[in-house]
Amino acid sequence: MAAGPASPRARYRTQVREEIKARAWEQIGTAGASGLSLNAIAKELGMSGPALYRYFAGRDDLITELVRDAYRDLAGTFRAAAGTGEGLAGLAHALRRWALADPQRYFLVYGTPVPGYRAPDDITGIAQEIMAALLDVCVADEEADDMAGGPGDPLVAHLAEHRGWAGDHPAPPAALRRALSFWTRLHGVLSLELAGHFTGMEFDPELLFGAELAGLTGKR
């Protein structure tokens, strides 16, 4: 049975929560996630601190909602990219577009951990959806031999016994190696670019990203 339309009260609550999250992103962009202040957000919205706590139980509750939104959005982005048939290149370019579109969102989930914050278990589940989409492509992309590793590759042998990070995905160890290589090398370039470490070095980070991707896939 389909749910009926939301009540005016429920719609108002949703609207206020979205406004609070929007102000939170503004704060994170200025002072980082560790500087997030619910009292400051309440003041900006013209409400008391206790009134805001009716919508979010505390700072960690608000951060969790922001992290959850970010991961869900990236998971959707990866699923859509995986469905294009463009393989690892499609995922890589989708990841870069997603990161450049909102660097603060990227750093909230892939940057320095927020002091004192621990994400709930359901966040791990959403993050594993992202990895599962990558692993699906790595299993299918058998041409990516440059990062597959041979039978004697010590990392492949290690991953055969250390695969908890992949959840229950049945990917063989060589595909796990492909996924880790993709994830670490491309995130490394993106993190340095978004943090401004390439500023003044007089080269195009997009070309560096493309070169790393070509090295990973063996396709130029």
Side-chain angles (χ1 to χ4, degrees):
M1 183 175 178
S7 68
R9 182 186 181 91
R11 290 198 301 272
Y12 176 74
R13 179 177 177 79
T14 298
Q15 178 183 338
V16 173
R17 281 174 60 87
E18 291 302 316
E19 289 178 359
I20 291 170
K21 288 194 287 185
R23 296 303 176 105
W25 281 120
E26 291 174 4
Q27 274 197 14
I28 289 172
T30 301
S34 60
L36 193 62
S37 168
L38 269 67
N39 286 332
I41 293 173
K43 185 178 292 185
E44 289 178 14
L45 293 176
M47 59 178 18
S48 67
L52 188 143
Y53 282 88
R54 298 192 199 113
Y55 299 94
F56 291 97
R59 184 205 68 157
D60 285 5
D61 186 34
L62 177 53
I63 290 176
T64 292
E65 191 68 14
L66 299 177
V67 170
R68 188 177 285 125
D69 286 351
Y71 271 132
R72 282 174 176 161
D73 193 66
L74 182 56
T77 297
F78 259 40
R79 284 192 296 269
T84 64
E86 296 177 2
L88 288 170
L91 285 186
H93 294 306
L95 174 63
R96 188 168 189 273
R97 287 193 298 269
W98 186 87
L100 292 177
D102 193 338
Q104 294 304 325
R105 178 180 59 180
Y106 175 87
F107 281 125
L108 182 63
V109 293
Y110 294 118
T112 303
V114 180
Y117 172 74
R118 184 183 182 281
D121 291 342
D122 75 292
I123 297 295
T124 301
I126 302 171
Q128 285 187 336
E129 290 180 29
I130 298 168
M131 188 57 68
L134 172 57
L135 286 168
D136 285 344
V137 173
C138 285
V139 169
D141 195 353
E142 296 179 352
E143 295 181 9
D145 291 331
D146 285 0
M147 59 175 171
D153 187 313
L155 180 55
V156 171
H158 178 76
L159 292 175
E161 303 296 333
H162 299 82
R163 53 183 303 135
W165 56 274
D168 58 1
H169 198 287
L176 298 181
R177 189 190 194 286
R178 289 188 195 108
L180 279 181
S181 296
F182 175 100
W183 203 241
T184 55
R185 286 173 64 174
L186 296 188
H187 271 297
V189 175
L190 278 174
S191 295
L192 289 169
E193 177 183 2
L194 294 176
H197 292 295
F198 296 148
T199 302
M201 293 181 71
E202 299 183 357
F203 71 85
D204 186 347
E206 184 174 5
L207 292 179
L208 174 60
F209 187 88
E212 285 295 296
L213 176 59
L216 288 166
T217 62
K219 301 172 185 175
R220 301 197 177 267

